[in-house]
């Protein structure tokens, strides 16, 4: 799984930077790569810890070993809780949860089909799959499971609030994806593993439809801009403030987008309604009003609000991109609209495999994988249907109220944001600027890392290289002194010896005349000297 995990991460990095001539795309690709490496470090540590503890990394073997060795859930922070947290760190990076969610909105720099497939339906849900597949571990580590629930619900409402006033059509959907992933982790955190995977499946249909629908809109906007002789860049073509009234020009794109929006907003009888309601009901723990349920319902209301705002600003009212562009607006080709129709159908029908009140088909289907093939006894107790319907009615009511509020604020009023901007300027500025998280990261972690790197570079250049260069200069100096000593002293002494010997040999060489008379004379002189020496020595 980790190999595939890294492989799809590499694909994500390369596809985010597909438009490599844009600095923003290149930077977004690097941001995604680095942030995911942080999460992957936790995943690797979890794999090592699991292998060290259980001697295997096979899901079935590990989960069965946990079930055999732990008769009851772990108390406190033991090895299972630590392994669960480390696994969740990996899921936090891949599935864009707090605090590692910042890469996903920037990933919208990639082509829109990439956003639809990798960044809405497949890759970003890998973390959800991994946690659900490790359900037995998490069921025996309630401390880790609690962290998953808290981070999930916090991400759900945090990202939903950011999406309230964004203007880039793809950025709204990106923050929606982060929020829905938070919903999935909320389901995992409250033990509703099948419900989380169910929402993963339904979300794939309507979110892919929304992303491809936004791509169809952007395609038409850019074509109309070029056909009218305009030169505005791609960011303006993705700004919903430059759209409006597109439903009459792009009916297939518009209606499929609206259908997918109803599913995302959790309108009854759509796929999103069934899966989201299952998670919210699980958050009540059998019919109790919990803080997790309250936050989840509020996040659902925000989702309904910003998606209604997006539909109104994009498809209703008057076109705000200019009269020249208006005459060139048209529906996209069938190669773009046909997938939208298929996905819109899925956004309605996919939810019927998970009907509430005990009629779910997906739960029993997923159970063997979630429980690692082990038989699990189910409690016979079920909450009253009326109680579940009551909680369902509350969440649906909040969704409809949010839709109505967005309608009142933006219908024929594309500048509806100004109401909030004037009444609550601080809140609007904070949400519009995404809580300044990127700026905070830039001023602390990014700046600190860069400054630290510069400091290390200076230390390397001045200290390490200085020591090395100093040692080199000292070595050269010693070498020069050694060369001087060798040339002046050693070579001088050697040369002096040979010069003395040469001089002496030159003097003695004169004795070698080659004349026998001279040699005889020398012998006679020598004999005389010896005789004289011994005579005087003996006499004395």
């Amino acid at each position: 799984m980790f190999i595939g995990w890294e492989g799809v991460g590499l694909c994500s990095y390369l596809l985010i930077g597909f438009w490599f001539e844009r600095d923003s795309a290149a930077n977004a690709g690097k941001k995604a790569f680095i942030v995911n490496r942080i999460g992957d470090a936790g995943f690797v540590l979890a794999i090592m810890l699991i292998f060290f503890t259980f001697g295997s990394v096979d899901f079935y073997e590990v989960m069965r070993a946990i079930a055999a060795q732990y008769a009851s859930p772990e108390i406190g922070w033991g090895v299972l809780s630590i392994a669960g947290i480390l696994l969740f760190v990996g899921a936090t990076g891949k599935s864009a949860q707090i605090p590692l969610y910042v890469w996903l909105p920037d990933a919208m720099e990639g082509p829109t089909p990439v956003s639809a497939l990798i960044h809405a339906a497949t890759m970003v849900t890998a973390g959800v799959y991994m946690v659900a597949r490790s359900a037995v571990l998490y069921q025996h580590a309630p401390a880790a499971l609690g962290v998953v629930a808290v981070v999930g619900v916090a991400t759900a409402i945090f990202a939903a609030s950011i999406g309230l006033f964004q203007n880039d059509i793809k950025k709204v959907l990106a923050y929606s994806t982060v929020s829905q992933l938070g919903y999935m982790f909320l389901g995992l955190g409250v033990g509703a593993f099948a419900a989380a995977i169910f929402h993963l499946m339904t979300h794939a249909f309507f979110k892919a439809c929304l992303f491809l629908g936004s791509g169809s809109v952007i395609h038409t906007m850019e074509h109309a801009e070029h056909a009218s002789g305009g030169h505005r860049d791609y960011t303006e073509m993705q700004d919903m403030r430059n759209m409006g009234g597109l439903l009459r020009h792009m009916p297939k794109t518009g209606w499929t987008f609206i259908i997918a929006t109803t599913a995302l907003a959790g309108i009854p009888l759509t796929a999103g309604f069934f899966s989201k309601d299952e998670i919210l009901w699980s958050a009540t723990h059998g019919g109790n009003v919990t803080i997790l349920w309250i936050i989840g319902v509020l996040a659902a209301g925000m989702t309904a609000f910003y998606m209604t705002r997006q539909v109104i600003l994009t498809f209703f009212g008057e076109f705000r991109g200019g009269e020249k562009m208006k005459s060139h607006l048209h529906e996209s080709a069938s190669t773009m609209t046909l997938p939208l129709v298929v996905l819109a159908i899925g956004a309605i029908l996919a939810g019927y495999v998970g009907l509430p009140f005990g009629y779910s088909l997906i739960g029993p289907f997923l159970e063997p994988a979630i429980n690692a093939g082990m038989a699990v006894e189910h409690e016979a107790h079920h909450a009253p249907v009326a109680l579940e319907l009551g909680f369902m009615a509350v969440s649906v009511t909040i969704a409809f109220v949010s839709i109505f509020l967005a309608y009142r604020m933006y219908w024929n009023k594309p500048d509806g944001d100004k109401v909030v901007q004037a009444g609550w300027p601080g809140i609007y500025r904070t949400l519009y600027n995404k809580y300044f998280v990127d700026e905070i990261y830039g001023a602390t972690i990014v700046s600190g890392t860069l400054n630290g790197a510069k400091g290390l570079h200076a230390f390397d250049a001045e200290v390490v290289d200085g020591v090395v260069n100093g040692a080199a200069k000292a070595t050269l100096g010693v070498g020069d002194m050694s060369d001087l000593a060798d040339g002046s002293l050693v070579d001088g002494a050697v040369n002096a010896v040979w010069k003395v010997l040469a001089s002496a040999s030159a003097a003695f060489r004169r004795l070698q005349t080659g004349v026998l008379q001279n040699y005889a004379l020398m012998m006679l002189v020598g004999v005389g000297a010896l005789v004289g020496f011994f005579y005087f020595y003996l006499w004395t």
Side-chain angles (χ1 to χ4, degrees), residues 334-345:
S334 59
T335 52
M336 299 179 71
T337 57
L338 181 59
L340 297 178
V341 173
V342 174
L343 291 170
I345 294 172

Side-chain angles (χ1 to χ4, degrees), residues 402-418:
S402 299
I403 292 172
F404 178 74
L405 181 60
Y407 170 80
R408 289 294 302 272
M409 286 182 62
Y410 296 99
W411 190 260
N412 292 326
K413 291 179 288 187
D415 57 350
D417 288 354
K418 292 182 178 179

Side-chain angles (χ1 to χ4, degrees), residues 472-508:
K473 291 179 180 179
T475 302
L476 290 174
V478 172
D480 291 339
M481 294 178 63
S482 176
D483 181 65
L484 179 62
D486 180 68
S488 301
L489 297 179
V490 178
D491 288 353
V494 172
N495 291 335
V497 171
W498 74 260
K499 287 180 180 179
V500 170
L501 293 175
S503 300
S505 64
F508 282 107

